[in-house]
Amino acid sequence: MFQMNTVTSIILSLVISFAVTALLGYVLIPILHKLKFGQNILTDIGPKWHAKKQGTPTMGGWMFLIGTIFAVAVTGIICIATRFHIFSEMQELKNQQTVRLVSGILMAFCFALVGFADDYIKVVKKRNLGLTEIQKTIPQVLIIGAYLSSLMISKSTAMFIPFYGKVALDTPLGMAFFFLFGVCVIYGCINAVNFTDGIDGLCGSVTVPVGVAFAVMALIMKNTSLGILGAALAGGCAGYLIWNHYPAKVMMGDTGSMFLGGIIVALAYMAECPIILLPVGIIYVIEALSDVIQIASIKIRHKKVFKMAPIHHHFEMCGWKENKIVAVFTFVSVIGCAIGVLAMYFTVR
């Protein structure tokens, strides 16, 4: 009888997610064309030459959303069928790991629905800016609150501090810190990933090594469920890039970028180390900071720091081609992910 193990389950999840996502392009893209769900390019928030992308189908994030969730579900079923347990045999840890995986995927899916509403308003209702900031923020905060509450109820509040170890946050003060810190981290990550989706292939490319990094961390931590979800994320993004590399045949839209942000956050909490997002998600951090710095500089100094923000547009305005930006940013992402993996190795060993 075929015997599953952690490495096999991780590889299986990656392959399934890649194949399903890539194949969905043949189905979804013609449907988006038929529905005329084309991207509306705003030249006031991006370089003028992006106008040529007008009409490129958007909401392509459904491809890797379906691919990722399908891969996790199928891999989990195969593991059960072969009697390989992806959760700890200790009941309390098993419950915590189950909650982290299921609630994390549900959180990401709910974020995707918020993104879908934003995309739908832009494309179908012809309101260029989609949802207002407050219309996005309220449901995001509610989703974050529900997710963090599920972790607190399951007593999944301990955190790893890189190079230090695990810290219990089971006191009232610790729980309050866990909740408030979580709201800031998750809200920041969701929107930072959204900022990164600005040119063909960028967000998907920098996210592939993020998924791989968490899969490697899973081997270090002996956390199979973390590895399955990390591999599914990497495979889904890789399959999506077949259709999204320059020149893109489809764009992920807020549907996709918010789902990615949710899954990345879920992975960090499954690893019990949201702080690890600083090195692993270094590109997202840089993209978000560049936007914050630009806005603050304009309001305080009435001057721009960058030619255009987020920072990938600055490099475009400096004459960099989209492929070069994607290659350089992906390299930086790989370095950040390697640092994150090493930090986790020396923390849990």
Side-chain angles (χ1 to χ4, degrees):
M1 184 177 182
F2 174 72
Q3 185 65 46
M4 289 286 286
N5 56 45
T6 299
V7 173
T8 306
S9 64
I10 287 173
I11 294 172
L12 180 63
S13 179
L14 187 147
V15 171
I16 292 174
S17 184
F18 174 82
V20 170
T21 303
L23 291 173
L24 276 174
Y26 290 104
V27 178
L28 184 61
I29 294 175
I31 292 174
L32 293 174
H33 272 296
K34 187 175 181 179
L35 294 173
K36 297 183 179 179
F37 280 8
Q39 181 73 32
N40 186 29
I41 304 298
L42 302 178
T43 54
D44 55 335
I45 60 173
K48 288 189 240 179
W49 52 86
H50 278 204
K52 65 185 179 182
K53 301 181 183 183
Q54 183 81 18
T56 302
T58 188
M59 302 191 205
W62 285 108
M63 292 160 58
F64 54 75
L65 184 156
I66 295 170
T68 299
I69 295 176
F70 182 81
V72 172
V74 171
T75 303
I77 291 170
I78 293 174
C79 286
I80 292 171
T82 57
R83 299 185 180 182
F84 175 68
H85 299 287
I86 66 172
F87 301 114
S88 172
E89 293 184 1
M90 295 176 60
Q91 191 59 44
E92 185 175 5
L93 285 178
K94 180 179 180 179
N95 292 339
Q96 290 175 353
Q97 290 172 354
T98 304
V99 168
R100 289 193 194 106
L101 176 62
V102 175
S103 63
I105 291 175
L106 285 174
M107 172 184 63
F109 183 74
C110 288
F111 281 134
L113 292 180
V114 176
F116 175 74
D118 190 48
D119 289 334
Y120 185 84
I121 290 170
K122 289 176 184 174
V123 174
V124 179
K125 299 298 183 181
K126 307 301 181 184
R127 275 171 45 189
N128 288 348
L129 297 179
L131 295 174
T132 64
E133 284 302 314
I134 193 69
Q135 288 171 334
K136 282 184 184 178
T137 299
I138 290 175
Q140 284 178 343
V141 171
L142 290 175
I143 294 165
I144 293 168
Y147 172 69
L148 292 173
S149 296
S150 73
L151 297 185
M152 293 168 72
I153 291 170
S154 65
K155 299 180 181 179
S156 305
T157 57
M159 286 188 191
F160 278 107
I161 307 297
F163 303 107
Y164 178 78
K166 186 179 284 192
V167 177
L169 297 171
D170 50 4
T171 64
L173 184 60
M175 298 280 270
F177 170 79
F178 176 84
F179 191 87
L180 293 174
F181 177 74
V183 171
C184 295
V185 169
I186 299 173
Y187 182 79
C189 183
I190 298 302
N191 290 285
V193 175
N194 183 247
F195 287 144
T196 308
D197 180 35
I199 60 177
D200 297 355
L202 179 59
C203 195
S205 294
V206 301
T207 302
V208 170
V210 173
V212 172
F214 279 111
V216 174
M217 289 181 206
L219 296 174
I220 295 170
M221 303 177 74
K222 297 179 174 61
N223 185 337
T224 304
S225 59
L226 171 64
I228 289 173
L229 184 58
L233 174 65
C237 287
Y240 171 70
L241 285 171
I242 290 176
W243 303 99
N244 183 242
H245 70 82
Y246 182 85
K249 296 178 180 64
V250 68
M251 298 180 182
M252 68 174 68
D254 283 4
T255 304
S257 62
M258 288 194 185
F259 175 77
L260 289 184
I263 289 293
I264 291 163
V265 164
L267 288 166
Y269 275 91
M270 287 175 71
E272 299 180 85
C273 189
I275 298 174
I276 209 68
L277 288 172
L278 285 175
V280 171
I282 184 63
I283 290 298
Y284 313 131
V285 174
I286 292 171
E287 292 276 13
L289 281 177
S290 69
D291 209 57
V292 171
I293 291 169
Q294 184 84 321
I295 293 171
S297 179
I298 291 172
K299 287 186 175 180
I300 297 170
R301 301 170 58 242
H302 305 291
K303 293 181 180 179
K304 292 182 178 180
V305 174
F306 306 103
K307 293 183 178 182
M308 187 173 282
I311 198 167
H312 57 260
H313 286 323
H314 169 79
F315 287 112
E316 276 194 283
M317 299 297 284
C318 289
W320 286 29
K321 299 297 183 183
E322 290 188 42
N323 283 338
K324 180 178 179 180
I325 296 170
V326 171
V328 172
F329 279 40
T330 303
F331 177 75
V332 173
S333 181
V334 170
I335 297 300
C337 288
I339 292 171
V341 169
L342 288 173
M344 187 59 74
Y345 173 78
F346 287 110
T347 300
V348 303
R349 72 189 179 116

